[in-house]
Each structure stands twice: as structure tokens, then as C-alpha cells.
Amino acid sequence: MAENENACKQMDIAVQRHRKMLHYVTKKCVPLLESKLKEVDEKSSEWKERALKAEGKVALLERQLEEKAAQSQHYKKLYEGQYQVIMKIGTVMGEIVWKSFKSHSNVKVLVQAQDSMLKYCALAKGIIDSFLLAYGTSLPPLQSLEHVFVVSLLGSITNLAAFVEGRAFLAQQELVVELLKRMVLDQDRWSYPHFRFIKRMVLTFAYNMSLEDPVAFVMLGEERLVNSVLRCLSLHDPTDVVAAAVAIIYRLLSVTVEAGIPSSLSEKIPWAMIKTMKDSTDEQLGEIATSLLGVMEVSEGKGF
């Protein structure tokens, strides 16, 4: 009997515990879970709304990007067309100026307009510098507008420097002398036959400018410039380019002899090669090589 009573008590305790647990679950846990679920639902709805808005914005941005790309392509074609027109105009005008500078009387008049000529020199330097920086050792095709335009500018200042008044004016312009130095150094990296014409023009310009003593002394004072010209001396390269290089060496050596200044230039000149050039079938190269040999004899006679 006692055992049954004890069992009933234990059963009653278990029932009470169960009721308390049930009460806790139904009154505490379930409402809390419902609250959390509601909160999650609200946040889920909020995120869905945000996602929809984001999708709308992404779609809008994609459309705007497509419009910008189409607009950019349109302007690119427009600017390319304008660039070609400007280059064509520049090329034509450059050739006109180039031919104009072939006239001594024109050069005499033009150098009097110093403000305009200073602007022209700055323009020429800027364009040629930009060209050399952009293309380096890979020049565009010879017939390209860029190449023709730059050649016309280089031809113009080369013709300008061919006359006393022109080179006297150019020699006073530091930016022109700096351009000369850069071009002489850069041409050393240019190969044949693609660079032949512009290489010859650079060396011809350098020779014309060296006829002004201050420029000649600048070149003599920078070993890199002299070495760059000396490396153009060859029995296998186009004779017109080689002749221009020999002419520069002839001029620089002549300056040292006339000024009575000792120079190491004579020691660097490949005299055996120059003697061979004297008998070249290219008349111009033969004459300038002979003149250089004559200066060498004078130099040796004076003990330089």
C-alpha cells in the first residue's frame, strides 16, 4: 500500500513538472518564437524589397553603361575623324612651311617676326618630342599622316638652319638646342631602312646647327652626342646618311682646330674607314671624307 502511495506521489510530481514545462513552453517559448519568426519575416520582406530595388538600380546602371559606351564609341569615331582632319591640315601646312623655308628671302623676313617664330619653334619641339615619346623605336608607316607631319616640321627647321639668319636665330633658342640633342641621341637607336629618311634629316639638321660655333661647342662638350654621331659611320649603311654624319664630324673637328682647342675627337675617328670613304662612288661622301682627312692633317700639324 505504501508503495502505491509513493508511486502516486511521484506520478503527481511528474505531472506537475510536465504542466509547468508545458506552461513555460506555451506562455514563454512559443510567443518568443512567434515574435522572432515575425521579426525574421519582416526583415526578410525588407531585404526582398531592398533586393528588388537593387536589381532595379543594377538594371538602370547597366542601361546607363550601355548608353555611355555607345556615346563613347560615337565620340571616339568623331574625335578620330577630327584628328585625321587636323593631321591632314597640319601635314599640308607643314609642307607649305617646309617649302617656304627653302627660300633665303623668306627666311630673312620670317626671323624678323621673332614672337611668331618662337611660337613656331615651341610648337615644333612639342610635336616632335611627343612623336618620339609616343613611338620610340617603332615609328608609324612612312606614308602615315603622323610620320609625314613630323617630317614636314623637321624639314622646316632643317631648311631654316641651312641659312645663316635662320640658324643664328635657332641657336639662340635653348629649346631648339635641347631638341637637337634629343634627336641626335634618339636616332642612334633607329634602324634601316625604315628610319633612313628621318635619320638623315636629323643628322642634316645637326650639321646645319653645328655651323654656329656655340652649338658646335655644345655638341663637343657632350660625349654622348659625339659618340652617337660616330656610330653612324659605316661602310655598309646608306651613303647619304653616312655623309651627313661625316659632315658633322668634319665640322666639329674643324672647330677645335680653328679655336686651337685640344680635343680627343681625332682619336675616336675611324681614319681607315674615312680613307675608304674618300674613294666612295657617292660623290658627296667622297668629298666630305676628303675634307675631313684634310682637317686631320692640319690637326696633326698643329699637334692637337
Side-chain angles (χ1 to χ4, degrees):
M1 187 67 176
E3 290 180 0
N4 290 336
E5 288 180 1
N6 187 45
C8 286
K9 286 181 181 180
Q10 293 298 324
M11 181 68 71
D12 186 55
I13 291 171
V15 169
Q16 292 298 324
R17 286 179 178 175
H18 177 72
R19 286 176 178 174
K20 288 181 179 180
M21 180 63 70
L22 182 61
H23 181 271
Y24 175 77
V25 170
T26 56
K27 299 298 182 180
K28 299 290 185 179
C29 294
V30 171
L32 179 62
L33 288 172
E34 289 177 345
S35 174
K36 292 295 182 182
L37 286 171
K38 183 178 180 182
E39 184 179 337
V40 169
D41 285 341
E42 289 175 352
K43 287 186 177 181
S44 176
S45 298
E46 183 181 342
W47 281 109
K48 284 180 180 178
E49 186 178 348
R50 288 184 180 181
L52 290 173
K53 288 182 179 179
E55 287 178 0
K57 287 183 179 180
V58 169
L60 176 62
L61 289 173
E62 287 178 345
R63 288 196 301 272
Q64 290 177 339
L65 182 60
E66 290 175 358
E67 291 173 0
K68 290 290 184 183
Q71 190 178 49
S72 176
Q73 190 65 24
H74 169 72
Y75 284 126
K76 181 182 178 183
K77 291 180 180 179
L78 179 63
Y79 293 148
E80 284 178 350
Q82 291 177 340
Y83 173 77
Q84 292 298 318
V85 170
I86 292 171
M87 287 300 298
K88 186 63 177 178
I89 293 172
T91 300
V92 173
M93 296 302 294
E95 290 177 350
I96 292 173
V97 175
W98 185 1
K99 292 178 181 178
S100 175
F101 284 172
K102 286 184 178 181
S103 167
H104 194 178
S105 59
N106 286 347
V107 170
K108 285 181 178 179
V109 173
L110 288 168
V111 294
Q112 298 303 314
Q114 292 204 5
D115 288 344
S116 297
M117 287 303 296
L118 285 172
K119 291 177 183 177
Y120 180 80
C121 289
L123 174 67
K125 181 182 185 300
I127 293 173
I128 295 173
D129 273 345
S130 177
F131 178 82
L132 295 176
L133 181 63
Y135 293 105
T137 58
S138 301
L139 291 186
L142 296 175
Q143 301 305 318
S144 68
L145 290 176
E146 292 90 345
H147 199 128
V148 174
F149 184 27
V150 167
V151 165
S152 70
L153 288 172
L154 182 53
S156 298
I157 59 176
T158 299
N159 284 348
L160 186 61
F163 299 107
V164 175
E165 297 83 359
R167 60 176 170 265
F169 171 79
L170 293 176
Q172 296 173 8
Q173 314 310 319
E174 184 178 350
L175 60 85
V176 175
V177 177
E178 289 302 315
L179 175 62
L180 164 66
K181 289 158 63 175
R182 174 171 185 179
M183 290 194 298
V184 170
L185 292 174
D186 278 11
Q187 64 79 31
D188 193 22
R189 299 181 291 123
W190 300 344
S191 58
Y192 298 100
H194 189 57
F195 292 91
R196 175 180 176 177
F197 184 59
I198 193 169
K199 192 178 181 83
R200 186 188 71 203
M201 291 190 73
V202 167
L203 293 174
T204 302
F205 175 63
Y207 170 73
N208 289 347
M209 289 293 291
S210 73
L211 294 175
E212 287 292 311
D213 286 352
V215 177
F217 286 123
V218 166
M219 295 182 70
L220 283 166
E222 297 201 22
E223 189 175 1
R224 290 192 308 157
L225 293 176
V226 176
N227 290 341
S228 182
V229 176
L230 285 170
R231 281 191 288 271
C232 293
L233 303 181
S234 170
L235 297 175
H236 308 291
D237 292 332
T239 54
D240 55 342
V241 178
V242 176
V246 174
I248 294 173
I249 299 302
Y250 163 72
R251 170 58 185 162
L252 296 182
L253 187 60
S254 297
V255 167
T256 62
V257 173
E258 291 169 5
I261 302 173
S263 171
S264 61
L265 176 58
S266 180
E267 300 171 1
K268 296 180 179 180
I269 299 172
W271 292 112
M273 185 187 297
I274 300 300
K275 289 177 182 178
T276 302
M277 290 178 182
K278 182 184 68 170
D279 300 321
S280 172
T281 54
D282 184 313
E283 185 177 342
Q284 184 180 20
L285 177 58
E287 289 179 359
I288 193 63
T290 300
S291 298
L292 179 55
L293 289 169
V295 175
M296 178 196 69
E297 293 174 359
V298 174
S299 174
E300 290 179 344
K302 291 187 177 183
F304 293 138

